Amino acid sequence: MGHEKRSDDKHGFVFNIQRYSLHDGPGIRTIVFLKGCPLRCQWCSNPESQKVSPEVALNSRKCIGTKECGFCARECRDGAIIEKDDGQIRIDRNACSECFRCVDACPSKAMTLFGRLMSVDEVLRNVEADGIFYGRSGGGMTLSGGEPLMQPGFARELLKEARRRRINTSLETCGFVDWKVLEAACFHLDTILFDIKSMDPVKHKAFTGVTNELILDNFERLCREFPNLSKRVRTPVVPGFNDTMEEIGAIVDFIKGRPNIEYEMLAYHRYGQPKYEYLDRVYTLSDVHLDDGRMSELRGMAKERLGKLALENEPTEPRVRMEAPCATCGS
Ligand code: SF4
Ligand code: SF4
């Protein structure tokens, strides 16, 4: 199996296609998750999205061990598979050249690949398979990530071609993108889901790796230049970061009165934590907990100031995003 490493306008790196989502735009939706993100949010539940190109993941719980298997080590030409004392393996990521021969050799799927190159047509054929649900529910395709606009040409072509095929389009964005890229996508969108995480630039930088000026500027310009575009602002509520009346209140006051706006708050969860282990990364928020009562108070305050919230009847429990088998890698 070959693993292409080049993307262009007609081809891009996708790490999941999730069907039957009810939360990421109007109606029943198919979410296409694109690789790459300019932020490093400490709570990120999709760490496999952050790097633009594909990467190898190792789930040690599925590994048979080098005594009975060891195919990965034999296939690796870079000496990047290290045998541990307990017969399990680890990946030396500095030595790894990302050839992915180990992924192809692994019989137990302990080694998997996050991300694969797909064409615009291949993605849309997956999306169109759910077409029967879109007509009845007003649903369609949502591009997510990562930040889908990290692959700007591919994201734009997906949206443009989806529209041509009469598929309703949504895009989830962190807003930290060049305005021209965002603008080009908006011409092909029915709904935009725009994250505003904090109004405090210092805190924003400490928890996401970037300040919020570009994000807020883009949001203001989006409201000015695309007043008729349906916009859902989203805030992940994260303990110790923004779970206060002041933080959420400042966001609510910033968006209040702008055209075609809905507001949604997403409760912190840590369902993405195991994936940090698969990628040899450290999850730093494992000790924090979001109180249901706190979330209700914050929702109540936001609802009072805005009049209503998006998905008002949604329970406060977090949503699991990766419950379906991955359509691109099958894991
Ligand atoms: S991706 Fe290639 S270089 Fe990296 S560990 Fe696997 S076989 Fe070795
Ligand atoms: S090929 Fe897969 S199952 Fe075999 S030792 Fe390597 S990771 Fe474990």
Side-chain angles (χ1 to χ4, degrees):
M1 190 198 304
H3 297 288
E4 298 294 328
K5 292 194 174 178
R6 201 173 37 82
S7 65
D8 54 37
D9 287 5
K10 296 286 181 195
H11 302 84
F13 293 117
V14 175
F15 69 91
N16 194 6
I17 296 179
Q18 183 179 305
R19 296 173 147 170
Y20 315 120
S21 169
L22 295 172
H23 304 290
D24 300 278
I28 299 172
R29 308 201 68 83
T30 302
I31 312 178
V32 180
F33 291 89
L34 269 55
K35 290 271 284 170
C37 188
L39 272 59
R40 291 293 178 269
C41 301
Q42 290 184 17
W43 59 87
C44 180
S45 57
N46 289 337
E48 75 279 28
S49 72
Q50 293 173 350
K51 190 174 165 188
V52 176
S53 56
E55 55 198 318
V56 61
L58 170 62
N59 180 350
S60 297
R61 279 174 281 282
K62 288 188 180 174
C63 176
I64 302 162
T66 48
K67 201 162 157 227
E68 293 79 12
C69 176
F71 290 137
C72 53
R74 285 196 287 283
E75 281 297 320
C76 182
R77 295 170 179 171
D78 296 289
I81 305 283
I82 312 293
E83 185 176 348
K84 297 196 292 187
D85 291 344
D86 60 1
Q88 296 278 300
I89 56 138
R90 72 174 175 84
I91 301 168
D92 178 351
R93 294 198 180 256
N94 291 322
C96 172
S97 61
E98 301 190 329
C99 67
F100 307 129
R101 294 169 63 90
C102 55
V103 175
D104 296 339
C106 178
S108 71
K109 288 199 176 352
M111 293 271 199
T112 51
L113 194 59
F114 281 135
R116 116 172 145 80
L117 198 68
M118 295 181 80
S119 69
V120 168
D121 186 58
E122 197 180 357
V123 171
L124 289 177
R125 271 189 276 121
N126 269 275
V127 171
E128 282 177 322
D130 297 332
I132 190 165
F133 301 109
Y134 305 154
R136 290 183 195 157
S137 70
M141 175 184 79
T142 298
L143 295 190
S144 181
E147 168 52 62
L149 298 179
M150 282 286 278
Q151 300 186 66
F154 181 55
R156 189 190 58 240
E157 288 303 311
L158 278 172
L159 295 171
K160 197 168 146 189
E161 180 59 17
R163 270 279 186 86
R164 201 186 65 75
R165 299 186 191 193
R166 302 186 187 282
I167 299 169
N168 180 285
T169 55
S170 295
L171 171 91
E172 279 191 286
T173 181
C174 70
F176 193 81
V177 293
D178 184 81
W179 167 255
K180 284 286 164 203
V181 169
L182 183 59
E183 181 188 42
C186 286
F187 289 124
H188 310 292
L189 277 180
D190 295 302
T191 305
I192 189 163
L193 309 167
F194 196 107
D195 269 22
I196 298 184
K197 301 176 175 80
S198 170
M199 297 300 290
D200 179 337
V202 176
K203 217 178 213 189
H204 200 282
K205 172 130 176 104
F207 279 80
T208 72
V210 304
T211 58
N212 58 4
E213 285 92 349
L214 176 63
I215 296 167
L216 300 180
D217 285 353
N218 276 339
F219 183 72
E220 290 192 307
R221 198 158 173 186
L222 178 72
C223 293
R224 251 192 341 266
E225 299 193 17
F226 293 89
N228 298 324
L229 177 61
S230 171
K231 304 166 199 76
R232 186 183 294 174
V233 175
R234 293 173 134 185
T235 302
V237 178
V238 181
F241 170 55
N242 63 0
D243 62 332
T244 64
M245 292 290 183
E246 293 71 30
E247 281 281 347
I248 301 300
I251 295 171
V252 166
D253 292 345
F254 178 66
I255 65 169
K256 190 175 176 183
R258 296 183 189 269
N260 282 305
I261 290 278
E262 291 184 299
Y263 186 52
E264 183 183 5
M265 296 158 69
L266 307 168
Y268 167 79
H269 64 80
R270 60 172 73 117
Y271 290 129
Q273 191 170 351
K275 291 184 280 185
Y276 282 76
E277 195 186 305
Y278 303 162
L279 293 165
D280 296 313
R281 295 196 206 146
V282 177
Y283 185 75
T284 54
L285 293 187
S286 47
D287 292 332
V288 306
H289 173 73
L290 180 64
D291 188 59
D292 281 353
R294 186 81 190 133
M295 192 66 194
S296 296
E297 282 170 21
L298 294 169
R299 276 185 203 272
M301 177 272 293
K303 186 176 174 183
E304 198 181 309
R305 290 196 202 178
L306 293 170
K308 69 178 186 119
L309 296 178
L311 306 174
E312 280 195 39
N313 298 324
E314 192 192 1
T316 53
E317 287 81 33
R319 304 195 289 257
V320 183
R321 307 203 60 166
M322 299 283 284
E323 72 275 16
C326 172
T328 63
C329 70
S331 63

